[in-house]
Amino acid sequence: MRRLKRPAIVLLLVAVATLIGGAADKAKKLFSQGQDAEARQSYEAAYQFYKQAYDLKPKDLRYRTSFERARPQASLALVHQGQKLRDEGKLDEAVALFQRAVAIDTSMFIAQQELKHTLQMINDARNPAPQAAGPPHSLERRLQDASGPVELAPISNVPITVKLTEDSKVIYQTIGQLAGINVLFDPDYTSRRIKVELNGVTLEEALEITALESKTFWRPVTGNTIFVAQDNAAKRKELEQSVLKTFYLQNLSQPTELQDVVNSIRAVLDVQRIQQLLSQNAVVVRGTPDQIALAEKLVDDLDKARPEVIVDIAVLQVSKDKSRTLGLSPPTSATVALQSNLNTTTPTTTGTTTTSTTSSSGGLELNTLGNLNATDFQVTIPSANLSAVMGDSDTKMIQNPQVRALDNQKATLKIGERVPVATGSFQPGIGGVGINPLVNTQFQYLDVGVNIDVTPHVHGDREVTLKISMEISSVVGQSSIGGISQPIIGQKKIDHEIRLKDGESSLIGGIMDDSQTKSLSGIPGLAQIPILKYFFGQTTQDHSEDETVFAITPHIIRGTDVREANQRAIEIGTANAIQLHHVVAPAPAAAPAGQAPANPATPGQPGSQPPSNPNPSAAAPSAPGGPASFLFDPAQITAAKGNTFVVNLLISGAQNVYSVPVQLNYDPAKLQLVNISNGGFLSQDGQAVALVHREDETTGSLQVTATRPPGAGGVSGQGTVVTLTFQAKANGQTPLTITRGGARDPGLQAITVNGAQASVTVQ
């Protein structure tokens, strides 16, 4: 059994080692794939690879740090993709990305916010929330039901012509009757007789002229009612509407910028009730509707993203060193010395006998001077050196930093080291006999390397003014000062202010050092002879060039967003009262009585479509006892792209109709209005009909008012009110809908008329 167990254990250990080794190799491969994905900025893929590697080797710190670093990057990348899809209207796809972002990093609060916001948008679109009811939510319901500023919406847009010399109250009432609005007067109103001549003006123009002549002012109470009072500060403060609005500024980054906006609104618009909230970058304003509208314009004009510039800086340093040494360096000195083995004889006298003793020493006695010869001296001559050396070095250094800065904000870039430099020392005032107190030395640190300060200012003509300070420094040596070794710092610096176009490059500084050195050494006289100088002398030549060039190129990556609407001048009333005047397009002149209306779509013209019923008055029988109704004839229209077609707007079951104002909506991308003409219903007794229309081509809104002349009675029955001619612009199906409409009797009382809708198919 033991023999069988040993091979099994060995096989098991081998299998475990193989699995461990395979897991390690797989984790390493996944980690490498994650690094490649991260380099390509595919953060979600990098996160998945790092996560798999971390799951295989959870104790490896490299895998853990990479996994933790990639987690928020992947979550943020998904949030940005989801925001882009949501802006494109793809809400479901955006929700899926936000959910993946939350699953990757649950601490990414912005992902949870965006997910909640998008889900709320989907819920609001699919299930409109009913208004809250009941006492617990009465305040919320009141806020939801609150309307915006009241705007005057007259029933009739017929140009007003009035020539009266009458009491101001009578003139106001006359204008109100012509436009179909109610006029109320303040109890303290003082009437005065004035003369007014109005020729073809709009309702607001007529009211403004009358108010100017009578020293009064008016304000809308409802869509068809105005209130007139005497024009003075107390009455305006008492009666003018107050509107509250909070403006959230998106592009301001400093408290002073928000304060500048508040000061502008307060000073220019004379708004006293204004409050800024620094924590929210918001401004709360209370004022009249015109003041709030102008405050919104000022906020739009001033809340602009500051221009931004990327500055490419190239620091070019070129160094060239050449050296040459040629010639023979002869000996220029000789040394003569006595031999070290020189014999010295010393006489010794004993009694009457004199004995000479000879010894060897390094000294020289006077007795031996007479016995010296050439063998007693040693002459030493240095060796001669023959040199033929040439050196040539070429050094190039390019530094290309990139600095990104906001308009009028300094950006600083420092690349290098901080070197300590002694600035002073002091000795504490303590000590005694035999005590040497310590000396404290103070240091400061200097930035050595490449130091760049850039302050850009963007002009409106795509030019940039740059205030630049650039410095290149290095430690070139050491110097001992007061026993302290101090660094010697070489410096190249330039302070410059230039104006460049976007993308234009400029060399703002060129510093060149050229040093040439030539030296000659050798035997005097012989070393100066042209040919012999190479045998009795040595020549050394050094040539050093050092050039530094600064090149700078600005790139505007965010320009000044100033639109035409920001520069347009607007009339805002007088110094005492700020008021906006609305521009109304002039109404076309009414067709003379008995003249047939023009119709550009003549029978037989290619693309024209005649009405399906040649007798519109018989198209819809009236319903006795029921309300009047609008109808389109035909109700189903098919037209070819590029062609025109005609549709009649009918009224059925009408009783005593004097004026017919209607508003129609259509898709401006598919249809274009060509012409509007009188249909004949209101002119069936031969009276001239004033036809006024106003069109907004951007939204596809058309307002049409057909009115009988003043003093004429109403008409009854059914028939065509107006004939509309459209041109088909793009393929598709679009409705033609009456969104608001009715009729008026000669007393300008409203008559209920049911709406209608037609379907237009462009092929």
Side-chain angles (χ1 to χ4, degrees):
M1 292 295 293
R2 291 181 179 177
R3 293 180 179 179
L4 294 176
K5 289 181 179 180
R6 290 179 179 177
I9 294 174
V10 171
L11 291 176
L12 181 61
L13 293 176
V14 171
V16 171
T18 303
L19 291 175
I20 294 176
D25 293 340
K26 187 176 181 181
K28 185 176 181 180
K29 182 179 179 181
L30 291 170
F31 180 74
S32 178
Q33 292 175 342
Q35 289 179 321
D36 293 340
E38 187 176 10
R40 294 191 301 269
Q41 297 184 352
S42 299
Y43 297 115
E44 186 182 8
Y47 165 77
Q48 297 296 340
F49 287 127
Y50 288 148
K51 184 177 184 301
Q52 296 178 33
Y54 173 68
D55 292 339
L56 292 175
K57 299 284 290 183
K59 294 183 179 180
D60 195 317
L61 292 180
R62 294 182 306 165
Y63 301 159
R64 180 177 179 179
T65 55
S66 299
F67 163 68
E68 295 293 345
R69 184 185 69 252
R71 182 203 297 266
Q73 292 178 336
S75 182
L76 277 176
L78 290 172
V79 169
H80 294 159
Q81 295 176 19
Q83 291 171 338
K84 184 177 180 181
L85 289 176
R86 187 181 61 194
D87 294 340
E88 295 174 355
K90 303 176 181 178
L91 301 182
D92 293 333
E93 293 86 340
V95 166
L97 290 180
F98 292 143
Q99 290 174 341
R100 285 164 56 187
V102 172
I104 289 177
D105 190 353
T106 56
S107 64
M108 190 62 61
F109 189 66
I110 188 174
Q112 301 177 14
Q113 283 182 319
E114 296 295 338
L115 176 61
K116 183 178 179 181
H117 177 56
T118 309
L119 290 174
Q120 185 64 37
M121 291 175 62
I122 295 176
N123 183 60
D124 293 343
R126 295 177 179 174
N127 304 308
Q131 295 183 354
H137 304 287
S138 59
L139 293 178
E140 181 179 356
R141 186 178 72 251
R142 290 174 63 88
L143 186 60
Q144 291 177 352
D145 295 342
S147 63
V150 178
E151 294 185 0
L152 192 59
I155 301 301
S156 175
N157 291 323
V158 178
I160 297 174
T161 300
V162 175
K163 295 182 181 181
L164 292 175
T165 302
E166 191 58 75
D167 188 273
S168 58
K169 279 190 175 182
V170 175
I171 296 177
Y172 270 118
Q173 292 170 346
T174 302
I175 295 174
Q177 290 178 358
L178 292 175
I181 63 173
N182 304 314
V183 181
L184 304 179
F185 294 93
D186 183 67
D188 299 332
Y189 180 81
T190 302
S191 181
R192 54 180 294 191
R193 188 178 181 87
I194 61 173
K195 179 180 180 181
V196 173
E197 293 187 4
L198 307 176
N199 295 309
V201 298
T202 63
L203 171 62
E204 290 193 4
E205 292 173 345
L207 293 176
E208 291 298 331
I209 294 173
T210 305
L212 183 62
E213 289 286 339
S214 60
K215 305 298 182 181
T216 58
F217 79 97
W218 61 274
R219 78 170 187 88
V221 179
T222 64
N224 64 343
T225 304
I226 64 172
F227 189 86
V228 183
Q230 207 69 31
D231 191 3
N232 55 64
K235 282 296 181 181
R236 282 189 175 271
K237 185 176 181 181
E238 177 185 352
L239 298 176
E240 280 188 332
Q241 299 183 68
S242 289
V243 179
L244 177 69
K245 185 168 183 179
T246 302
F247 298 96
Y248 291 92
L249 287 78
Q250 306 294 329
N251 299 298
L252 304 186
S253 57
Q254 298 180 4
T256 56
E257 297 176 349
L258 184 62
Q259 185 63 45
D260 290 341
V261 175
V262 172
N263 293 339
S264 299
I265 296 175
R266 181 180 289 117
V268 176
L269 303 179
D270 196 21
V271 175
Q272 302 302 324
R273 299 182 179 182
I274 179 172
Q275 180 65 41
Q276 60 178 341
L277 290 87
L278 295 177
S279 60
Q280 300 292 330
N281 250 15
V283 177
V284 182
V285 185
R286 177 185 173 184
T288 66
D290 289 343
Q291 286 178 325
I292 298 300
L294 290 171
E296 187 170 1
K297 170 179 168 51
L298 282 180
V299 169
D300 182 63
D301 293 344
L302 301 178
D303 184 20
K304 301 290 186 183
R306 301 182 68 174
E308 202 167 355
V309 179
I310 284 183
V311 182
D312 288 329
I313 302 173
V315 182
L316 311 176
Q317 290 182 290
V318 179
S319 300
K320 294 182 179 181
D321 293 320
K322 292 183 180 181
S323 64
R324 188 186 69 175
T325 303
L326 182 62
L328 180 66
S329 179
T332 58
S333 63
T335 304
V336 180
L338 292 174
Q339 291 288 350
S340 60
N341 58 355
L342 180 66
N343 295 325
T344 303
T345 303
T346 305
T348 304
T349 304
T350 304
T352 59
T353 305
T354 300
T355 306
S356 299
T357 304
T358 302
S359 63
S360 176
S361 66
L364 178 64
E365 298 179 355
L366 295 176
N367 294 331
T368 61
L369 289 176
N371 299 321
L372 293 177
N373 54 37
T375 60
D376 295 327
F377 295 92
Q378 180 180 2
V379 180
T380 303
I381 301 175
S383 61
N385 295 323
L386 178 63
S387 300
V389 180
M390 184 186 72
D392 189 355
S393 64
D394 192 351
T395 304
K396 295 181 180 180
M397 183 178 67
I398 300 177
Q399 293 176 323
N400 190 15
Q402 191 178 75
V403 180
R404 182 168 179 169
L406 289 173
D407 184 45
N408 294 326
Q409 293 292 318
K410 184 174 74 171
T412 301
L413 176 65
K414 298 180 183 295
I415 303 174
E417 301 174 345
R418 305 199 72 192
V419 177
V421 177
T423 58
S425 61
F426 67 93
Q427 186 175 10
I430 59 173
V433 179
I435 299 177
N436 185 18
L438 298 177
V439 177
N440 294 328
T441 303
Q442 297 175 338
F443 292 88
Q444 74 175 13
Y445 287 85
L446 301 180
D447 294 317
V448 177
V450 178
N451 301 319
I452 302 173
D453 292 334
V454 179
T455 304
H457 175 68
V458 179
H459 301 279
D461 52 356
R462 303 291 296 176
E463 292 189 355
V464 184
T465 294
L466 298 173
K467 186 177 181 181
I468 305 171
S469 176
M470 294 201 307
E471 175 186 337
I472 297 179
S473 56
S474 61
V475 178
V476 296
Q478 297 287 332
S479 176
S480 179
I481 302 176
I484 300 177
S485 180
Q486 297 277 55
I488 301 175
I489 299 175
Q491 185 184 58
K492 296 177 181 179
K493 183 176 180 180
I494 183 170
D495 291 326
H496 212 59
E497 186 169 353
I498 58 175
R499 180 165 175 167
L500 300 173
K501 293 182 178 180
D502 181 21
E504 179 183 1
S505 299
S506 175
L507 299 179
I508 62 173
I511 304 174
M512 183 174 181
D513 296 332
D514 192 342
S515 176
Q516 296 185 12
T517 304
K518 185 176 182 180
S519 62
L520 175 64
S521 63
I523 299 176
L526 295 177
Q528 296 175 343
I529 300 176
I531 298 177
L532 297 179
K533 67 179 181 180
Y534 296 108
F535 298 97
F536 297 98
Q538 189 178 65
T539 302
T540 301
Q541 293 183 355
D542 292 326
H543 186 193
S544 176
E545 293 182 0
D546 187 3
E547 184 176 7
T548 303
V549 177
F550 301 93
I552 187 165
T553 306
H555 301 282
I556 300 176
I557 59 174
R558 189 197 304 272
T560 305
D561 184 19
V562 178
R563 302 183 296 273
E564 182 180 358
N566 303 131
Q567 299 177 327
R568 186 168 64 93
I570 299 176
E571 182 187 358
I572 62 172
T574 64
N576 296 328
I578 293 179
Q579 187 175 10
L580 291 176
H581 297 151
H582 303 284
V583 178
V584 180
Q595 180 178 347
N599 188 348
T602 58
Q605 179 182 355
S608 63
Q609 181 177 343
S612 60
N613 190 348
N615 185 14
S617 61
S622 60
S629 301
F630 285 120
L631 297 171
F632 283 105
D633 180 36
Q636 300 291 332
I637 305 168
T638 302
K641 179 180 177 181
N643 294 341
T644 60
F645 62 92
V646 175
V647 59
N648 295 316
L649 176 59
L650 312 179
I651 188 170
S652 174
Q655 299 293 329
N656 197 21
V657 175
Y658 169 79
S659 175
V660 180
V662 292
Q663 178 174 328
L664 299 90
N665 277 17
Y666 61 93
D667 188 354
K670 296 182 173 61
L671 301 179
Q672 179 179 355
L673 181 65
V674 176
N675 185 61
I676 300 176
S677 59
N678 181 27
F681 171 71
L682 294 178
S683 58
Q684 56 185 282
D685 57 352
Q687 296 288 342
V689 175
L691 193 61
V692 180
H693 75 278
R694 185 183 305 167
E695 181 188 14
D696 188 352
E697 297 179 352
T698 60
T699 61
S701 177
L702 173 63
Q703 295 179 2
V704 181
T705 301
T707 308
R708 290 169 59 82
V715 295
S716 303
Q718 56 272 342
T720 302
V721 179
V722 292
T723 300
L724 309 174
T725 304
F726 290 93
Q727 182 181 17
K729 294 172 56 178
N731 294 335
Q733 187 173 7
T734 177
L736 184 61
T737 309
I738 296 178
T739 56
R740 188 177 66 180
R744 291 280 171 174
D745 61 13
L748 298 181
Q749 298 299 317
I751 301 175
T752 303
V753 183
N754 295 330
Q757 181 174 350
S759 178
V760 181
T761 303
V762 181
Q763 298 178 347

